[in-house]
Amino acid sequence: MILPRPRTDLPELGEVAQALTRLGERLEASPADSLVDAVVRCAVEWVDGARWASVTVLQQGSFRTLGHTGPEAAAADALQYDLRSGPCVDAVLDESVLVSGNLAHDGRWPGYGPRVVREVGVTSVLSHRLRLIGDPELIASLNLYSDAPDAFDEHAVWAGTLLATHAGLGISVAVTHQRAAHLETALRTNREIGTAIGILMARHRVTREQAQELLRLASQDTNRKMSEIAAEVVRTGELSLPRRPPSGSS
């Protein structure tokens, strides 16, 4: 963990407890499907020096940005994913808190630093590893960016730590909610396709495999998703197939 030297004027435990309570209440008031947005907005509001914020997740070897406050944060993240190097990548992989106030000349990321300054305008960064629950294979970080040099001092690191404490739980809830929504969509789609197959089997006296192939053929011919074709069959009872060309045509 790379941190600045501690100062003696950091908040007392009572202030920390009050700040955690206020932050927790704010995040708890956010709907599950907007928790990530709430986290990154809070980051910009709570952490002095932060101009943009994002949340990075690593799953099955792939990095992606789960939420951000602006295109600058998204671009700063994406460049790190392309290079597989940078503070948010290292924060995720090394379980650390990383601070830089001069990315253009930071020897830890010689490929990333000068490019993000030149291409995005980001000069300072603060990245916190997030502690997630429920999925040991899912790792995340909270990333704070600024276009000012030396933007993040000890107070910023402290505030970021408070936010990261609650953000880990919030992101876990948001990811679980997304997975549930995706699962519900997948189940609904599968039910609709199964219903369409049953309709085709009854109307055209074909086997299940043949009915499924008819759906695939219609999907390929119209360049539409098979789920859309299935929904149309369920709604109309009909399946539009490509017409066979006249005999002898080239």
Coordinates of all heavy atoms in Angstrom, one line a residue, residues 23-100:
L23 N -22.6 8.7 5.0 CA -22.4 8.1 3.7 C -23.2 6.8 3.5 O -23.8 6.6 2.5 CB -20.9 7.7 3.6 CG -20.4 7.1 2.3 CD1 -20.8 8.0 1.1 CD2 -18.9 6.8 2.3
G24 N -23.3 6.0 4.6 CA -24.1 4.8 4.5 C -25.6 5.1 4.2 O -26.2 4.4 3.4
E25 N -26.1 6.1 4.9 CA -27.5 6.5 4.7 C -27.7 6.9 3.2 O -28.8 6.6 2.6 CB -27.9 7.6 5.6 CG -28.0 7.2 7.1 CD -28.2 8.3 8.0 OE1 -28.0 9.5 7.6 OE2 -28.5 8.1 9.2
R26 N -26.8 7.7 2.7 CA -27.0 8.1 1.3 C -27.0 7.0 0.3 O -27.8 6.9 -0.6 CB -25.9 9.1 0.9 CG -26.0 9.6 -0.5 CD -25.2 10.8 -0.8 NE -25.2 11.2 -2.2 CZ -24.6 12.2 -2.7 NH1 -23.9 13.0 -1.9 NH2 -24.7 12.5 -4.0
L27 N -26.0 6.0 0.5 CA -26.0 4.9 -0.4 C -27.2 4.0 -0.2 O -27.7 3.4 -1.2 CB -24.7 4.1 -0.2 CG -23.4 4.9 -0.6 CD1 -22.1 4.0 -0.4 CD2 -23.4 5.4 -2.1
E28 N -27.6 3.8 1.0 CA -28.7 2.9 1.3 C -30.0 3.5 0.7 O -30.9 2.7 0.3 CB -28.9 2.7 2.8 CG -27.9 1.8 3.4 CD -28.0 1.8 4.9 OE1 -28.9 2.4 5.4 OE2 -27.1 1.2 5.6
A29 N -30.1 4.8 0.5 CA -31.3 5.4 -0.1 C -31.3 5.3 -1.6 O -32.3 5.6 -2.2 CB -31.3 6.9 0.3
S30 N -30.2 4.8 -2.2 CA -30.1 4.7 -3.7 C -30.7 3.4 -4.1 O -30.4 2.3 -3.5 CB -28.7 4.8 -4.1 OG -28.1 6.1 -3.8
P31 N -31.5 3.3 -5.2 CA -32.0 2.0 -5.7 C -30.8 1.1 -6.1 O -29.8 1.6 -6.5 CB -32.9 2.4 -6.9 CG -33.2 3.9 -6.7 CD -32.0 4.4 -5.9
A32 N -31.0 -0.2 -6.1 CA -30.0 -1.1 -6.4 C -29.4 -0.9 -7.8 O -28.2 -1.0 -8.0 CB -30.5 -2.5 -6.2
D33 N -30.3 -0.5 -8.7 CA -29.8 -0.4 -10.1 C -29.1 0.9 -10.4 O -28.6 1.2 -11.5 CB -31.0 -0.5 -11.1 CG -32.1 0.5 -10.9 OD1 -32.0 1.3 -9.9 OD2 -33.1 0.5 -11.6
S34 N -29.0 1.8 -9.3 CA -28.3 3.1 -9.5 C -27.2 3.2 -8.4 O -26.7 4.3 -8.2 CB -29.2 4.2 -9.5 OG -29.9 4.4 -8.3
L35 N -26.9 2.1 -7.7 CA -25.9 2.2 -6.7 C -24.5 2.6 -7.2 O -23.8 3.4 -6.5 CB -25.8 0.9 -5.9 CG -26.7 0.8 -4.7 CD1 -26.7 -0.7 -4.1 CD2 -26.2 1.7 -3.6
V36 N -24.1 2.1 -8.3 CA -22.8 2.4 -8.9 C -22.7 3.9 -9.2 O -21.7 4.5 -8.9 CB -22.5 1.5 -10.1 CG1 -21.2 1.9 -10.7 CG2 -22.5 0.1 -9.8
D37 N -23.8 4.4 -9.8 CA -23.8 5.9 -10.1 C -23.7 6.7 -8.8 O -23.1 7.7 -8.8 CB -25.1 6.2 -10.8 CG -25.1 5.7 -12.3 OD1 -24.0 5.4 -12.8 OD2 -26.2 5.5 -12.8
A38 N -24.4 6.2 -7.8 CA -24.4 6.9 -6.5 C -22.9 6.9 -5.9 O -22.5 7.9 -5.4 CB -25.3 6.3 -5.5
V39 N -22.2 5.8 -6.0 CA -20.9 5.7 -5.5 C -20.0 6.7 -6.2 O -19.2 7.4 -5.6 CB -20.4 4.2 -5.7 CG1 -18.9 4.2 -5.4 CG2 -21.1 3.3 -4.7
V40 N -20.0 6.7 -7.6 CA -19.1 7.6 -8.3 C -19.4 9.0 -8.1 O -18.5 9.9 -8.0 CB -19.0 7.2 -9.8 CG1 -18.3 5.8 -9.9 CG2 -20.3 7.2 -10.5
R41 N -20.7 9.4 -8.0 CA -21.1 10.7 -7.7 C -20.6 11.2 -6.3 O -20.1 12.3 -6.1 CB -22.6 10.9 -7.8 CG -23.1 10.9 -9.2 CD -24.6 11.5 -9.2 NE -25.5 10.8 -8.3 CZ -26.2 9.8 -8.7 NH1 -26.1 9.3 -9.9 NH2 -27.0 9.2 -7.8
C42 N -20.8 10.3 -5.3 CA -20.3 10.6 -4.0 C -18.8 10.8 -3.9 O -18.3 11.6 -3.2 CB -20.7 9.4 -3.0 SG -22.4 9.4 -2.4
A43 N -18.1 10.0 -4.7 CA -16.7 10.1 -4.8 C -16.2 11.5 -5.2 O -15.3 12.1 -4.6 CB -16.1 9.1 -5.7
V44 N -16.8 12.0 -6.2 CA -16.5 13.4 -6.7 C -16.9 14.4 -5.7 O -16.2 15.4 -5.5 CB -17.2 13.6 -8.1 CG1 -16.9 15.1 -8.5 CG2 -16.6 12.7 -9.1
E45 N -18.0 14.2 -5.0 CA -18.4 15.2 -4.0 C -17.7 15.1 -2.7 O -17.4 16.1 -2.0 CB -19.9 15.0 -3.7 CG -20.8 15.2 -4.9 CD -22.3 14.8 -4.6 OE1 -22.6 14.5 -3.5 OE2 -23.1 14.8 -5.6
W46 N -17.3 13.9 -2.3 CA -16.7 13.7 -1.0 C -15.2 13.9 -0.9 O -14.6 14.3 0.1 CB -17.0 12.3 -0.5 CG -18.3 12.1 0.3 CD1 -19.5 12.4 -0.3 CD2 -18.5 11.8 1.6 NE1 -20.5 12.1 0.7 CE2 -19.8 11.8 1.9 CE3 -17.6 11.4 2.6 CZ2 -20.4 11.5 3.1 CZ3 -18.1 11.1 3.9 CH2 -19.5 11.1 4.1
V47 N -14.5 13.5 -2.0 CA -13.1 13.5 -2.0 C -12.5 14.8 -2.6 O -12.7 15.1 -3.8 CB -12.5 12.3 -2.7 CG1 -11.0 12.3 -2.7 CG2 -13.1 11.0 -2.1
D48 N -11.9 15.6 -1.8 CA -11.3 16.8 -2.3 C -10.3 16.6 -3.4 O -9.4 15.6 -3.3 CB -10.6 17.6 -1.1 CG -11.5 18.2 -0.1 OD1 -12.7 18.3 -0.5 OD2 -11.1 18.5 1.0
G49 N -10.4 17.3 -4.4 CA -9.5 17.2 -5.6 C -10.0 16.3 -6.7 O -9.5 16.3 -7.8
A50 N -11.0 15.5 -6.4 CA -11.5 14.6 -7.4 C -12.4 15.3 -8.4 O -13.3 16.0 -8.0 CB -12.3 13.4 -6.8
R51 N -12.1 15.2 -9.7 CA -12.9 15.8 -10.7 C -13.8 14.7 -11.4 O -14.9 15.0 -11.8 CB -12.1 16.5 -11.7 CG -12.9 17.2 -12.8 CD -12.1 18.3 -13.5 NE -13.0 18.9 -14.5 CZ -12.6 19.9 -15.3 NH1 -11.3 20.2 -15.4 NH2 -13.4 20.4 -16.2
W52 N -13.2 13.5 -11.6 CA -13.9 12.4 -12.2 C -13.7 11.2 -11.4 O -12.8 11.0 -10.7 CB -13.4 12.2 -13.6 CG -13.4 13.4 -14.5 CD1 -14.4 14.1 -15.0 CD2 -12.2 14.1 -14.9 NE1 -14.0 15.1 -15.8 CE2 -12.6 15.2 -15.7 CE3 -10.8 13.9 -14.8 CZ2 -11.8 16.1 -16.3 CZ3 -10.0 14.8 -15.3 CH2 -10.4 15.9 -16.1
A53 N -14.7 10.2 -11.5 CA -14.6 9.0 -10.8 C -15.1 7.8 -11.6 O -16.0 8.0 -12.5 CB -15.3 9.1 -9.4
S54 N -14.6 6.6 -11.3 CA -15.1 5.4 -12.0 C -15.0 4.2 -11.0 O -14.3 4.3 -10.0 CB -14.4 5.2 -13.3 OG -13.0 4.8 -13.0
V55 N -15.6 3.1 -11.4 CA -15.5 1.9 -10.7 C -15.0 0.8 -11.8 O -15.7 0.7 -12.8 CB -16.8 1.4 -10.0 CG1 -16.6 0.0 -9.6 CG2 -17.1 2.3 -8.9
T56 N -13.9 0.2 -11.5 CA -13.4 -0.9 -12.4 C -13.7 -2.2 -11.8 O -13.5 -2.4 -10.6 CB -11.9 -0.7 -12.6 OG1 -11.6 0.4 -13.4 CG2 -11.2 -1.9 -13.2
V57 N -14.1 -3.2 -12.6 CA -14.2 -4.6 -12.1 C -13.4 -5.5 -13.0 O -13.2 -5.2 -14.2 CB -15.7 -5.0 -12.1 CG1 -16.5 -4.3 -11.1 CG2 -16.3 -4.9 -13.5
L58 N -12.9 -6.5 -12.4 CA -12.1 -7.6 -13.1 C -12.8 -8.9 -12.8 O -13.0 -9.3 -11.7 CB -10.7 -7.6 -12.5 CG -9.8 -8.8 -13.0 CD1 -9.6 -8.8 -14.5 CD2 -8.5 -8.9 -12.3
Q59 N -13.2 -9.5 -13.9 CA -13.9 -10.8 -13.8 C -13.5 -11.7 -15.0 O -13.5 -11.2 -16.1 CB -15.4 -10.6 -13.8 CG -16.2 -11.8 -13.5 CD -17.7 -11.5 -13.3 OE1 -18.3 -10.6 -13.9 NE2 -18.4 -12.3 -12.5
Q60 N -13.1 -12.9 -14.7 CA -12.7 -13.8 -15.7 C -11.6 -13.3 -16.6 O -11.6 -13.5 -17.8 CB -13.9 -14.3 -16.5 CG -14.9 -15.1 -15.7 CD -16.1 -15.5 -16.4 OE1 -16.3 -15.1 -17.6 NE2 -16.8 -16.5 -15.9
G61 N -10.7 -12.5 -16.0 CA -9.5 -12.0 -16.7 C -9.8 -10.8 -17.5 O -8.9 -10.2 -18.1
S62 N -11.0 -10.2 -17.5 CA -11.3 -9.0 -18.3 C -11.7 -7.9 -17.4 O -12.5 -8.0 -16.4 CB -12.5 -9.3 -19.2 OG -12.1 -10.3 -20.2
F63 N -11.1 -6.7 -17.7 CA -11.4 -5.5 -17.0 C -12.6 -4.7 -17.7 O -12.6 -4.7 -18.9 CB -10.2 -4.5 -16.9 CG -9.1 -5.0 -16.0 CD1 -8.1 -5.7 -16.6 CD2 -9.1 -4.7 -14.7 CE1 -7.0 -6.1 -15.7 CE2 -8.1 -5.1 -13.9 CZ -7.0 -5.8 -14.4
R64 N -13.5 -4.1 -16.9 CA -14.5 -3.2 -17.5 C -14.8 -2.2 -16.5 O -14.7 -2.3 -15.3 CB -15.7 -4.0 -18.0 CG -16.5 -4.7 -16.9 CD -17.6 -5.6 -17.4 NE -18.3 -6.3 -16.4 CZ -19.4 -5.9 -15.8 NH1 -20.0 -4.8 -16.3 NH2 -20.0 -6.7 -14.9
T65 N -15.4 -1.1 -17.0 CA -15.8 0.0 -16.2 C -17.3 -0.1 -15.9 O -18.1 -0.1 -16.8 CB -15.5 1.4 -16.8 OG1 -14.1 1.6 -17.0 CG2 -16.1 2.5 -16.0
L66 N -17.6 -0.3 -14.6 CA -19.0 -0.5 -14.2 C -19.8 0.8 -14.2 O -21.0 0.8 -14.4 CB -19.0 -1.2 -12.9 CG -20.3 -2.0 -12.4 CD1 -20.6 -3.1 -13.4 CD2 -20.2 -2.5 -11.0
G67 N -19.2 1.9 -13.9 CA -19.8 3.2 -13.8 C -18.8 4.3 -13.8 O -17.7 4.1 -13.3
H68 N -19.2 5.5 -14.2 CA -18.2 6.6 -14.2 C -19.0 7.9 -14.3 O -20.2 7.9 -14.5 CB -17.3 6.5 -15.5 CG -18.0 6.5 -16.8 ND1 -18.5 7.7 -17.4 CD2 -18.4 5.5 -17.6 CE1 -19.0 7.4 -18.5 NE2 -19.0 6.1 -18.7
T69 N -18.3 9.0 -14.0 CA -19.0 10.3 -13.9 C -18.8 11.1 -15.2 O -19.3 12.2 -15.3 CB -18.5 11.2 -12.8 OG1 -17.1 11.3 -12.9 CG2 -18.8 10.5 -11.4
G70 N -18.0 10.6 -16.1 CA -17.8 11.4 -17.4 C -16.9 10.6 -18.3 O -16.2 9.7 -17.9
P71 N -16.8 11.1 -19.6 CA -16.0 10.4 -20.6 C -14.5 10.4 -20.2 O -13.8 9.5 -20.7 CB -16.3 11.1 -21.9 CG -16.8 12.5 -21.4 CD -17.5 12.2 -20.1
E72 N -14.0 11.4 -19.5 CA -12.6 11.4 -19.1 C -12.3 10.2 -18.2 O -11.2 9.5 -18.5 CB -12.3 12.7 -18.4 CG -12.4 13.9 -19.3 CD -13.8 14.5 -19.3 OE1 -14.7 13.9 -18.7 OE2 -14.0 15.5 -20.0
A73 N -13.1 9.9 -17.3 CA -12.9 8.7 -16.4 C -12.9 7.4 -17.2 O -12.1 6.5 -17.0 CB -13.9 8.7 -15.3
A74 N -13.9 7.3 -18.1 CA -14.0 6.1 -18.9 C -12.8 6.0 -19.8 O -12.3 4.8 -20.0 CB -15.3 6.2 -19.7
A75 N -12.3 7.1 -20.4 CA -11.1 7.0 -21.3 C -9.9 6.6 -20.5 O -9.0 5.9 -20.9 CB -11.0 8.3 -22.0
A76 N -9.7 7.2 -19.3 CA -8.6 6.9 -18.4 C -8.6 5.4 -18.0 O -7.5 4.8 -18.0 CB -8.6 7.8 -17.2
D77 N -9.7 4.9 -17.8 CA -9.8 3.5 -17.5 C -9.5 2.6 -18.7 O -8.7 1.7 -18.6 CB -11.3 3.1 -17.0 CG -11.6 3.6 -15.6 OD1 -10.7 4.1 -14.9 OD2 -12.8 3.4 -15.2
A78 N -10.1 2.9 -19.8 CA -10.0 2.1 -21.0 C -8.5 2.0 -21.5 O -8.0 1.0 -21.9 CB -10.8 2.7 -22.2
L79 N -7.8 3.1 -21.3 CA -6.4 3.1 -21.7 C -5.6 2.1 -20.8 O -4.7 1.4 -21.3 CB -5.8 4.5 -21.6 CG -4.3 4.7 -22.0 CD1 -4.1 4.2 -23.4 CD2 -3.9 6.1 -21.8
Q80 N -5.9 2.0 -19.6 CA -5.3 1.1 -18.7 C -5.6 -0.4 -19.1 O -4.7 -1.2 -19.0 CB -5.7 1.3 -17.2 CG -5.2 2.7 -16.7 CD -5.6 2.9 -15.2 OE1 -5.1 2.3 -14.3 NE2 -6.6 3.8 -15.0
Y81 N -6.9 -0.6 -19.4 CA -7.2 -1.9 -19.8 C -6.5 -2.4 -21.1 O -6.1 -3.5 -21.2 CB -8.7 -2.0 -20.1 CG -9.6 -1.5 -19.0 CD1 -10.9 -1.1 -19.2 CD2 -9.2 -1.5 -17.7 CE1 -11.7 -0.6 -18.2 CE2 -10.0 -1.0 -16.7 CZ -11.3 -0.5 -16.9 OH -12.1 -0.1 -15.9
D82 N -6.3 -1.5 -22.0 CA -5.6 -1.8 -23.2 C -4.1 -2.1 -22.9 O -3.6 -3.0 -23.5 CB -5.7 -0.6 -24.2 CG -7.0 -0.4 -24.8 OD1 -7.8 -1.4 -24.8 OD2 -7.3 0.7 -25.3
L83 N -3.5 -1.3 -22.0 CA -2.1 -1.5 -21.7 C -1.9 -2.6 -20.7 O -0.7 -3.0 -20.5 CB -1.5 -0.2 -21.2 CG -1.5 1.0 -22.2 CD1 -1.0 2.2 -21.5 CD2 -0.6 0.6 -23.4
R84 N -3.0 -3.0 -20.0 CA -2.9 -3.9 -18.8 C -1.9 -3.3 -17.8 O -1.2 -4.1 -17.1 CB -2.4 -5.3 -19.2 CG -3.3 -5.9 -20.3 CD -4.7 -6.3 -19.7 NE -4.6 -7.5 -18.8 CZ -5.7 -8.1 -18.4 NH1 -6.9 -7.8 -18.8 NH2 -5.6 -9.1 -17.6
S85 N -1.9 -2.0 -17.6 CA -1.0 -1.3 -16.7 C -1.6 0.0 -16.3 O -2.2 0.7 -17.2 CB 0.4 -1.1 -17.3 OG 1.2 -0.3 -16.5
G86 N -1.5 0.3 -15.0 CA -2.0 1.6 -14.6 C -2.4 1.5 -13.1 O -2.5 0.4 -12.6
P87 N -2.7 2.6 -12.5 CA -3.1 2.6 -11.0 C -4.3 1.8 -10.7 O -4.3 1.1 -9.7 CB -3.2 4.0 -10.7 CG -3.4 4.8 -12.0 CD -2.6 4.0 -13.0
C88 N -5.4 1.9 -11.5 CA -6.6 1.1 -11.2 C -6.4 -0.4 -11.4 O -6.9 -1.2 -10.7 CB -7.8 1.7 -11.9 SG -8.0 1.1 -13.6
V89 N -5.6 -0.7 -12.4 CA -5.3 -2.1 -12.7 C -4.5 -2.7 -11.5 O -4.7 -3.8 -11.0 CB -4.5 -2.3 -14.0 CG1 -3.9 -3.7 -14.2 CG2 -5.5 -2.0 -15.2
D90 N -3.4 -1.9 -11.1 CA -2.6 -2.4 -10.0 C -3.3 -2.4 -8.7 O -3.1 -3.3 -7.9 CB -1.4 -1.5 -9.9 CG -0.4 -1.7 -11.0 OD1 -0.6 -2.6 -11.9 OD2 0.6 -0.9 -11.1
A91 N -4.2 -1.5 -8.5 CA -5.0 -1.5 -7.2 C -5.9 -2.7 -7.1 O -6.0 -3.3 -6.1 CB -5.9 -0.2 -7.2
V92 N -6.4 -3.2 -8.3 CA -7.2 -4.4 -8.3 C -6.4 -5.6 -8.1 O -6.7 -6.5 -7.3 CB -8.0 -4.5 -9.7 CG1 -8.5 -5.9 -9.8 CG2 -9.1 -3.5 -9.7
L93 N -5.2 -5.7 -8.8 CA -4.4 -6.9 -8.8 C -3.6 -7.0 -7.5 O -3.3 -8.1 -7.0 CB -3.5 -6.9 -10.0 CG -4.2 -7.0 -11.3 CD1 -3.2 -7.0 -12.5 CD2 -5.0 -8.3 -11.4
D94 N -3.2 -5.9 -6.9 CA -2.2 -5.9 -5.8 C -2.9 -5.6 -4.5 O -2.2 -5.5 -3.5 CB -1.1 -4.9 -6.0 CG -0.3 -5.2 -7.3 OD1 -0.3 -6.4 -7.7 OD2 0.3 -4.3 -7.8
E95 N -4.2 -5.4 -4.5 CA -4.9 -5.1 -3.2 C -4.3 -3.9 -2.5 O -4.0 -4.0 -1.3 CB -4.9 -6.4 -2.3 CG -5.5 -7.6 -2.9 CD -5.7 -8.7 -1.9 OE1 -6.0 -8.4 -0.7 OE2 -5.5 -9.9 -2.2
S96 N -4.2 -2.8 -3.2 CA -3.5 -1.7 -2.7 C -4.3 -0.4 -2.9 O -5.4 -0.4 -3.5 CB -2.2 -1.5 -3.3 OG -2.3 -1.4 -4.7
V97 N -3.8 0.7 -2.2 CA -4.3 2.0 -2.5 C -3.1 2.7 -3.2 O -2.0 2.8 -2.6 CB -4.6 2.7 -1.2 CG1 -5.1 4.2 -1.5 CG2 -5.8 2.0 -0.4
L98 N -3.4 3.3 -4.3 CA -2.3 3.9 -5.1 C -2.6 5.4 -5.4 O -3.7 5.7 -5.7 CB -2.1 3.2 -6.4 CG -1.6 1.7 -6.3 CD1 -1.7 1.0 -7.6 CD2 -0.2 1.7 -5.8
V99 N -1.6 6.2 -5.2 CA -1.8 7.7 -5.4 C -0.6 8.1 -6.3 O 0.5 7.7 -6.1 CB -1.7 8.4 -4.0 CG1 -2.0 9.9 -4.2 CG2 -2.6 7.8 -3.0
S100 N -1.0 9.0 -7.2 CA 0.0 9.7 -8.0 C -0.4 11.1 -8.3 O -1.6 11.3 -8.7 CB 0.3 9.0 -9.3 OG 1.2 9.7 -10.1

